[in-house]
Structure formats: structure tokens, C-alpha cells
Amino acid sequence: MPSEPSRAGIVTDENSGERHIPESMRADGTTRKAIKIRPGYRPPEDVEIYKNRTAEDFRNRGKGGIPGAEGLKDTAQETSSPANNKNAKRREARKKAKSANETQDSGTSKTPPPTEPKPEDVDPEAEREKKARNLKKKLKQAKELKNKKEGGESLLPEQIAKVIKINELIRELEALGFDADGESKAAVNPNDAETVNTPS
């Protein structure tokens, strides 16, 4: 009496111990002959896949990293995989960047809307100097790019946009009370003024 066929379709005769693939019908109606299998041969379909138990336990660990605690997982954890979380974060970042670009195009500055700080933490003079430092840095970069452009180098569209904003940056510095070099207009050194006025 033949046994149940294996994955490869091999049937073992229980009386004689011989193994063979029984004859079968092809799609066009012709018959395939039975194929004898030599003793000791195991086709790749019947070979068990090696499973490392430690690795399996590590993959199936549940809450707290306990091996073998896969039954303790929440259904919420199963639905939100790390890839989904990563993609959701990317989508959020794209939305924020898009809304920031839209506000820039409408004429606002690049700085995000300020949060409401506590009144005792805000020093208006420090804030003004911080903005002036940032504007001075941007102005320096824009002037360097302008020099490169005048030197014959080709610039990227973003770099050309920075060069175009030079006058706007100077106006913003002046509005904060600084000159185009980033020096405070109120804090002009009196010694410098004397040397300028006196003839040499």
C-alpha cells in the first residue's frame, strides 16, 4: 500500500520500501510514466529548511524583549510596523516643508512662526543681536556667491536666489539698527569718529 505523497510527489511503497513518483496526466491528455527514485535521494522540496531557534525566538519576542512571548503582542503593534512609522514621519515632514514653502512664497521670511516664550526669558536685545548675526551670515554667503558669479562660475538656482536677496538682507539689518557690515549703528566707537573728522 503506498504512503501519502511528499511535497515533491514521491510515494513510498510500504511493503517493498521502493520510492517512485506515480504516473500522472499532462494537460494535453497524455500520460507521464512513473519515475523510480533511487534509495537515499531527497529532493530539495522535501528537505526541511533549517531554522535557528535563537533567531526565531528573537524575531518573535513580545513585550519587554522576552523570547517566546509572541502571544503577548498588542494588535496595535502588529499593524504599525517600523516601516509604516518611518513613512508616516516622512509624510509629516513633507507636509511641514510644503506649508513652510507656501508661507515663504507669500512674502514671509524664512524663520518659522515664533512660539510664545515666557516674558522673563526673552531679552529683546539678545534676540535682536541673534537675528542680526543670522542676517549677517546670510549676507556674507550671498556676497561670496555674487563674487563667484562675477568671476564666471555658474551657480545653482538656489544660489542665484540668495544673490538676489542681498538688498533685502541689508534692509532687514538696517531695520534692526545695524549697518551692512553687521556693526551696530548705536555702538560706533568715538575714537573712530575723531580720526575720520581730523585731517591728517
Side-chain angles (χ1 to χ4, degrees):
M1 178 162 190
S3 66
E4 288 290 318
S6 67
R7 286 189 203 146
I10 299 173
V11 176
T12 307
D13 188 8
E14 292 177 0
N15 297 335
S16 63
E18 288 182 356
R19 297 168 53 210
H20 67 280
I21 298 175
E23 49 178 55
S24 60
M25 292 288 279
R26 293 189 182 102
D28 62 358
T30 58
T31 57
R32 264 185 216 98
K33 292 182 183 176
I35 303 170
K36 285 188 179 181
I37 307 296
R38 65 182 155 85
Y41 175 73
R42 286 180 75 187
E45 294 90 355
D46 290 346
V47 176
E48 284 186 37
I49 298 171
Y50 172 75
K51 291 182 181 176
N52 185 340
R53 285 189 180 154
T54 308
E56 280 293 312
D57 289 344
F58 184 76
R59 270 189 233 110
N60 295 333
R61 70 187 185 281
K63 288 183 177 177
I66 303 167
E70 60 268 5
L72 301 176
K73 285 185 181 178
D74 289 337
T75 55
Q77 283 182 341
E78 291 173 6
T79 57
S80 64
S81 69
N84 289 342
N85 291 340
K86 197 174 190 181
N87 288 337
K89 287 178 185 175
R90 284 182 182 163
R91 275 187 239 112
E92 285 295 319
R94 276 195 217 117
K95 285 180 184 177
K96 287 179 183 176
K98 188 175 180 182
S99 64
N101 287 340
E102 289 173 359
T103 56
Q104 279 182 4
D105 292 342
S106 64
T108 58
S109 65
K110 287 186 179 181
T111 55
T115 57
E116 291 291 326
K118 294 179 182 176
E120 65 268 7
D121 293 345
V122 178
D123 182 14
E125 185 65 27
E127 286 292 317
R128 190 172 69 88
E129 288 178 7
K130 185 177 177 183
K131 285 181 183 179
R133 273 197 308 271
N134 288 339
L135 289 171
K136 183 180 174 184
K137 183 179 172 184
K138 289 178 185 178
L139 185 62
K140 181 182 175 186
Q141 289 175 348
K143 286 181 178 179
E144 287 173 1
L145 290 171
K146 184 178 180 182
N147 291 339
K148 284 183 182 180
K149 185 179 178 184
E150 289 170 355
E153 287 188 42
S154 62
L155 299 179
L156 297 172
E158 303 90 40
Q159 294 172 326
I160 293 171
K162 286 182 182 179
V163 171
I164 293 171
K165 290 184 179 180
I166 288 177
N167 291 334
E168 182 182 332
L169 294 171
I170 292 172
R171 279 196 300 272
E172 287 183 34
L173 271 172
E174 287 174 353
L176 290 172
F178 291 88
D179 60 6
D181 297 327
E183 302 291 327
S184 177
K185 290 181 181 177
V188 175
N189 192 350
N191 295 334
D192 291 341
E194 288 176 13
T195 55
V196 171
N197 294 334
T198 57
S200 53

CSV table of all heavy atoms in Angstrom, one decimal, residues 29-69:
chain,number,residue,atom,x,y,z
A,29,GLY,N,-3.5,15.7,-22.1
A,29,GLY,CA,-4.2,14.4,-22.1
A,29,GLY,C,-3.2,13.2,-22.2
A,29,GLY,O,-3.7,12.1,-22.0
A,30,THR,N,-2.0,13.4,-22.4
A,30,THR,CA,-1.0,12.3,-22.5
A,30,THR,C,-0.6,11.9,-21.0
A,30,THR,O,-0.8,12.7,-20.1
A,30,THR,CB,0.2,12.6,-23.3
A,30,THR,OG1,0.8,13.8,-22.7
A,30,THR,CG2,-0.1,12.9,-24.7
A,31,THR,N,-0.1,10.7,-20.9
A,31,THR,CA,0.3,10.3,-19.5
A,31,THR,C,1.8,10.3,-19.3
A,31,THR,O,2.6,10.1,-20.2
A,31,THR,CB,-0.2,8.8,-19.3
A,31,THR,OG1,0.4,8.0,-20.3
A,31,THR,CG2,-1.7,8.7,-19.3
A,32,ARG,N,2.2,10.7,-18.1
A,32,ARG,CA,3.6,10.7,-17.7
A,32,ARG,C,3.9,9.3,-17.1
A,32,ARG,O,3.1,8.8,-16.3
A,32,ARG,CB,3.8,11.7,-16.6
A,32,ARG,CG,4.4,13.0,-17.1
A,32,ARG,CD,4.7,13.9,-15.9
A,32,ARG,NE,4.4,15.3,-16.3
A,32,ARG,CZ,3.3,15.9,-16.0
A,32,ARG,NH1,2.4,15.4,-15.3
A,32,ARG,NH2,3.1,17.2,-16.4
A,33,LYS,N,5.0,8.8,-17.4
A,33,LYS,CA,5.4,7.5,-16.9
A,33,LYS,C,5.8,7.6,-15.4
A,33,LYS,O,6.2,8.7,-15.0
A,33,LYS,CB,6.6,6.9,-17.6
A,33,LYS,CG,6.3,6.4,-19.0
A,33,LYS,CD,7.5,5.8,-19.6
A,33,LYS,CE,7.2,5.4,-21.1
A,33,LYS,NZ,8.4,4.9,-21.7
A,34,ALA,N,5.6,6.6,-14.6
A,34,ALA,CA,6.1,6.6,-13.2
A,34,ALA,C,7.6,6.7,-13.2
A,34,ALA,O,8.3,6.1,-14.1
A,34,ALA,CB,5.6,5.3,-12.5
A,35,ILE,N,8.2,7.4,-12.3
A,35,ILE,CA,9.6,7.6,-12.2
A,35,ILE,C,10.1,7.0,-10.9
A,35,ILE,O,9.6,7.3,-9.8
A,35,ILE,CB,10.0,9.1,-12.2
A,35,ILE,CG1,9.4,9.8,-13.4
A,35,ILE,CG2,11.5,9.3,-12.1
A,35,ILE,CD1,9.5,11.3,-13.4
A,36,LYS,N,11.1,6.0,-11.0
A,36,LYS,CA,11.7,5.4,-9.8
A,36,LYS,C,12.7,6.4,-9.2
A,36,LYS,O,13.4,7.0,-9.9
A,36,LYS,CB,12.4,4.1,-10.2
A,36,LYS,CG,11.4,3.0,-10.5
A,36,LYS,CD,12.2,1.7,-10.6
A,36,LYS,CE,11.3,0.5,-10.9
A,36,LYS,NZ,12.0,-0.7,-11.0
A,37,ILE,N,12.7,6.4,-7.8
A,37,ILE,CA,13.6,7.3,-7.1
A,37,ILE,C,14.6,6.3,-6.4
A,37,ILE,O,14.2,5.4,-5.7
A,37,ILE,CB,12.9,8.1,-6.0
A,37,ILE,CG1,11.7,8.9,-6.7
A,37,ILE,CG2,13.8,9.0,-5.3
A,37,ILE,CD1,12.1,9.9,-7.7
A,38,ARG,N,15.9,6.6,-6.6
A,38,ARG,CA,16.9,5.7,-6.0
A,38,ARG,C,16.9,5.9,-4.5
A,38,ARG,O,16.6,7.0,-4.0
A,38,ARG,CB,18.3,6.0,-6.6
A,38,ARG,CG,18.8,7.3,-6.4
A,38,ARG,CD,20.2,7.5,-7.1
A,38,ARG,NE,20.5,8.9,-7.4
A,38,ARG,CZ,21.1,9.7,-6.5
A,38,ARG,NH1,21.4,9.3,-5.3
A,38,ARG,NH2,21.3,10.9,-6.8
A,39,PRO,N,17.3,4.9,-3.8
A,39,PRO,CA,17.3,4.9,-2.3
A,39,PRO,C,18.3,6.0,-1.8
A,39,PRO,O,19.3,6.2,-2.3
A,39,PRO,CB,17.8,3.5,-1.9
A,39,PRO,CG,17.6,2.7,-3.1
A,39,PRO,CD,17.7,3.5,-4.3
A,40,GLY,N,17.8,6.7,-0.8
A,40,GLY,CA,18.7,7.7,-0.1
A,40,GLY,C,18.5,9.1,-0.7
A,40,GLY,O,19.0,10.1,-0.2
A,41,TYR,N,17.9,9.2,-1.9
A,41,TYR,CA,17.8,10.6,-2.5
A,41,TYR,C,16.6,11.3,-1.9
A,41,TYR,O,15.6,10.8,-1.7
A,41,TYR,CB,17.5,10.4,-4.0
A,41,TYR,CG,17.3,11.8,-4.7
A,41,TYR,CD1,18.3,12.7,-4.9
A,41,TYR,CD2,16.0,12.1,-5.1
A,41,TYR,CE1,18.0,13.9,-5.5
A,41,TYR,CE2,15.7,13.3,-5.7
A,41,TYR,CZ,16.8,14.2,-5.9
A,41,TYR,OH,16.5,15.4,-6.5
A,42,ARG,N,16.9,12.6,-1.5
A,42,ARG,CA,15.9,13.5,-1.0
A,42,ARG,C,15.9,14.7,-1.9
A,42,ARG,O,16.8,15.5,-2.0
A,42,ARG,CB,16.2,13.9,0.4
A,42,ARG,CG,16.0,12.8,1.4
A,42,ARG,CD,16.3,13.3,2.8
A,42,ARG,NE,15.3,14.2,3.3
A,42,ARG,CZ,15.4,14.8,4.5
A,42,ARG,NH1,16.5,14.7,5.2
A,42,ARG,NH2,14.4,15.6,4.9
A,43,PRO,N,14.8,15.0,-2.6
A,43,PRO,CA,14.7,16.1,-3.5
A,43,PRO,C,14.7,17.4,-2.7
A,43,PRO,O,14.3,17.4,-1.5
A,43,PRO,CB,13.4,16.0,-4.3
A,43,PRO,CG,12.6,15.0,-3.4
A,43,PRO,CD,13.6,14.2,-2.7
A,44,PRO,N,15.1,18.6,-3.2
A,44,PRO,CA,15.1,19.8,-2.5
A,44,PRO,C,13.8,20.2,-1.9
A,44,PRO,O,13.7,20.8,-0.8
A,44,PRO,CB,15.5,20.9,-3.5
A,44,PRO,CG,16.1,20.1,-4.7
A,44,PRO,CD,15.6,18.7,-4.6
A,45,GLU,N,12.7,19.8,-2.5
A,45,GLU,CA,11.4,20.2,-2.0
A,45,GLU,C,11.1,19.5,-0.7
A,45,GLU,O,10.3,20.0,0.2
A,45,GLU,CB,10.2,19.8,-3.0
A,45,GLU,CG,10.3,20.6,-4.3
A,45,GLU,CD,11.1,19.9,-5.3
A,45,GLU,OE1,11.8,18.9,-5.0
A,45,GLU,OE2,11.1,20.4,-6.5
A,46,ASP,N,11.7,18.3,-0.4
A,46,ASP,CA,11.4,17.6,0.8
A,46,ASP,C,12.4,17.9,1.9
A,46,ASP,O,12.2,17.4,3.0
A,46,ASP,CB,11.5,16.1,0.5
A,46,ASP,CG,10.3,15.6,-0.3
A,46,ASP,OD1,9.3,16.4,-0.5
A,46,ASP,OD2,10.3,14.5,-0.9
A,47,VAL,N,13.5,18.6,1.6
A,47,VAL,CA,14.5,18.9,2.6
A,47,VAL,C,13.9,20.0,3.5
A,47,VAL,O,13.4,21.0,3.0
A,47,VAL,CB,15.8,19.4,2.0
A,47,VAL,CG1,16.8,19.8,3.1
A,47,VAL,CG2,16.4,18.3,1.1
A,48,GLU,N,14.0,19.8,4.8
A,48,GLU,CA,13.4,20.8,5.8
A,48,GLU,C,14.4,22.0,5.8
A,48,GLU,O,15.6,21.8,5.8
A,48,GLU,CB,13.4,20.2,7.2
A,48,GLU,CG,12.2,19.2,7.4
A,48,GLU,CD,12.1,18.8,8.8
A,48,GLU,OE1,12.3,19.6,9.7
A,48,GLU,OE2,11.8,17.6,9.0
A,49,ILE,N,13.8,23.1,5.9
A,49,ILE,CA,14.5,24.4,6.0
A,49,ILE,C,15.1,24.5,7.4
A,49,ILE,O,14.3,24.4,8.3
A,49,ILE,CB,13.7,25.6,5.6
A,49,ILE,CG1,13.2,25.5,4.1
A,49,ILE,CG2,14.4,26.9,5.8
A,49,ILE,CD1,12.1,26.5,3.8
A,50,TYR,N,16.4,24.8,7.5
A,50,TYR,CA,17.0,24.9,8.8
A,50,TYR,C,16.5,26.2,9.5
A,50,TYR,O,16.4,27.3,8.9
A,50,TYR,CB,18.5,25.0,8.7
A,50,TYR,CG,19.2,25.3,10.0
A,50,TYR,CD1,19.3,24.4,11.0
A,50,TYR,CD2,19.7,26.6,10.3
A,50,TYR,CE1,19.9,24.7,12.2
A,50,TYR,CE2,20.3,26.9,11.5
A,50,TYR,CZ,20.4,25.9,12.4
A,50,TYR,OH,21.0,26.2,13.6
A,51,LYS,N,16.0,26.0,10.7
A,51,LYS,CA,15.6,27.2,11.5
A,51,LYS,C,16.4,27.3,12.7
A,51,LYS,O,16.5,26.4,13.6
A,51,LYS,CB,14.1,27.1,11.8
A,51,LYS,CG,13.2,27.2,10.6
A,51,LYS,CD,11.7,27.1,11.1
A,51,LYS,CE,10.9,27.1,9.8
A,51,LYS,NZ,9.5,26.9,10.2
A,52,ASN,N,17.0,28.5,12.9
A,52,ASN,CA,17.8,28.7,14.1
A,52,ASN,C,16.8,29.1,15.2
A,52,ASN,O,16.1,30.2,15.1
A,52,ASN,CB,18.8,29.8,13.8
A,52,ASN,CG,19.7,30.1,15.0
A,52,ASN,OD1,19.4,29.7,16.1
A,52,ASN,ND2,20.9,30.7,14.7
A,53,ARG,N,16.7,28.3,16.3
A,53,ARG,CA,15.7,28.6,17.3
A,53,ARG,C,15.9,29.9,18.0
A,53,ARG,O,15.0,30.7,18.3
A,53,ARG,CB,15.7,27.5,18.3
A,53,ARG,CG,15.0,26.3,17.8
A,53,ARG,CD,14.8,25.3,18.9
A,53,ARG,NE,14.1,24.1,18.3
A,53,ARG,CZ,14.2,22.9,18.8
A,53,ARG,NH1,15.0,22.7,19.9
A,53,ARG,NH2,13.6,21.9,18.3
A,54,THR,N,17.2,30.3,18.2
A,54,THR,CA,17.5,31.5,18.9
A,54,THR,C,17.1,32.7,18.1
A,54,THR,O,16.5,33.6,18.6
A,54,THR,CB,19.0,31.6,19.2
A,54,THR,OG1,19.4,30.4,19.9
A,54,THR,CG2,19.4,32.8,20.1
A,55,ALA,N,17.4,32.6,16.8
A,55,ALA,CA,17.0,33.7,15.9
A,55,ALA,C,15.5,33.8,15.8
A,55,ALA,O,14.9,34.9,15.8
A,55,ALA,CB,17.6,33.5,14.5
A,56,GLU,N,14.8,32.7,15.7
A,56,GLU,CA,13.3,32.7,15.7
A,56,GLU,C,12.7,33.3,16.9
A,56,GLU,O,11.8,34.1,16.8
A,56,GLU,CB,12.8,31.2,15.5
A,56,GLU,CG,12.8,30.7,14.1
A,56,GLU,CD,11.9,31.4,13.2
A,56,GLU,OE1,10.7,31.6,13.5
A,56,GLU,OE2,12.4,31.8,12.1
A,57,ASP,N,13.3,32.9,18.1
A,57,ASP,CA,12.8,33.5,19.3
A,57,ASP,C,13.0,35.0,19.4
A,57,ASP,O,12.2,35.8,19.8
A,57,ASP,CB,13.5,32.8,20.5
A,57,ASP,CG,13.0,31.4,20.7
A,57,ASP,OD1,11.9,31.0,20.2
A,57,ASP,OD2,13.7,30.6,21.5
A,58,PHE,N,14.2,35.4,18.9
A,58,PHE,CA,14.5,36.9,18.9
A,58,PHE,C,13.5,37.6,18.0
A,58,PHE,O,13.0,38.7,18.3
A,58,PHE,CB,15.9,37.1,18.4
A,58,PHE,CG,16.3,38.5,18.4
A,58,PHE,CD1,16.7,39.1,19.6
A,58,PHE,CD2,16.4,39.3,17.2
A,58,PHE,CE1,17.0,40.4,19.6
A,58,PHE,CE2,16.8,40.6,17.3
A,58,PHE,CZ,17.1,41.2,18.5
A,59,ARG,N,13.2,37.1,16.8
A,59,ARG,CA,12.2,37.7,15.9
A,59,ARG,C,10.8,37.7,16.5
A,59,ARG,O,10.0,38.6,16.2
A,59,ARG,CB,12.2,37.0,14.5
A,59,ARG,CG,13.2,37.6,13.6
A,59,ARG,CD,13.0,37.0,12.2
A,59,ARG,NE,14.3,36.4,11.8
A,59,ARG,CZ,14.6,35.2,11.6
A,59,ARG,NH1,13.7,34.3,11.8
A,59,ARG,NH2,15.8,34.8,11.2
A,60,ASN,N,10.5,36.7,17.2
A,60,ASN,CA,9.1,36.5,17.7
A,60,ASN,C,9.0,37.1,19.2
A,60,ASN,O,8.0,36.8,19.8
A,60,ASN,CB,8.7,35.1,17.7
A,60,ASN,CG,8.6,34.5,16.3
A,60,ASN,OD1,8.3,35.3,15.4
A,60,ASN,ND2,8.8,33.2,16.1
A,61,ARG,N,10.0,37.8,19.6
A,61,ARG,CA,9.9,38.2,21.0
A,61,ARG,C,8.7,39.2,21.2
A,61,ARG,O,8.4,40.0,20.3
A,61,ARG,CB,11.2,38.9,21.5
A,61,ARG,CG,11.5,40.2,20.9
A,61,ARG,CD,12.9,40.6,21.3
A,61,ARG,NE,13.2,41.9,20.8
A,61,ARG,CZ,13.6,42.2,19.6
A,61,ARG,NH1,13.7,41.2,18.7
A,61,ARG,NH2,13.9,43.4,19.2
A,62,GLY,N,8.1,39.2,22.3
A,62,GLY,CA,6.9,40.1,22.5
A,62,GLY,C,7.4,41.3,23.3
A,62,GLY,O,8.4,41.8,23.2
A,63,LYS,N,6.5,41.7,24.2
A,63,LYS,CA,6.8,42.9,25.1
A,63,LYS,C,7.9,42.7,26.0
A,63,LYS,O,8.1,41.6,26.5
A,63,LYS,CB,5.5,43.3,25.9
A,63,LYS,CG,4.4,43.8,25.2
A,63,LYS,CD,3.3,44.2,26.1
A,63,LYS,CE,2.1,44.8,25.4
A,63,LYS,NZ,1.0,45.1,26.3
A,64,GLY,N,8.8,43.7,26.1
A,64,GLY,CA,9.9,43.6,27.0
A,64,GLY,C,11.0,42.7,26.5
A,64,GLY,O,12.0,42.5,27.1
A,65,GLY,N,11.0,42.3,25.2
A,65,GLY,CA,12.1,41.5,24.6
A,65,GLY,C,12.2,40.1,25.2
A,65,GLY,O,13.3,39.5,25.2
A,66,ILE,N,11.1,39.5,25.7
A,66,ILE,CA,11.2,38.2,26.3
A,66,ILE,C,11.0,37.2,25.2
A,66,ILE,O,10.0,37.2,24.5
A,66,ILE,CB,10.1,38.0,27.3
A,66,ILE,CG1,10.2,39.0,28.4
A,66,ILE,CG2,10.1,36.6,27.9
A,66,ILE,CD1,9.0,39.1,29.3
A,67,PRO,N,12.0,36.3,25.0
A,67,PRO,CA,11.9,35.3,23.9
A,67,PRO,C,10.7,34.4,24.2
A,67,PRO,O,10.4,34.0,25.3
A,67,PRO,CB,13.2,34.5,24.0
A,67,PRO,CG,14.1,35.4,24.7
A,67,PRO,CD,13.3,36.2,25.6
A,68,GLY,N,9.9,34.0,23.1
A,68,GLY,CA,8.8,33.1,23.2
A,68,GLY,C,7.5,33.8,23.7
A,68,GLY,O,6.5,33.1,24.0
A,69,ALA,N,7.5,35.1,23.8
A,69,ALA,CA,6.3,35.8,24.3
A,69,ALA,C,5.6,36.5,23.2
A,69,ALA,O,5.0,37.5,23.3
A,69,ALA,CB,6.7,36.9,25.3
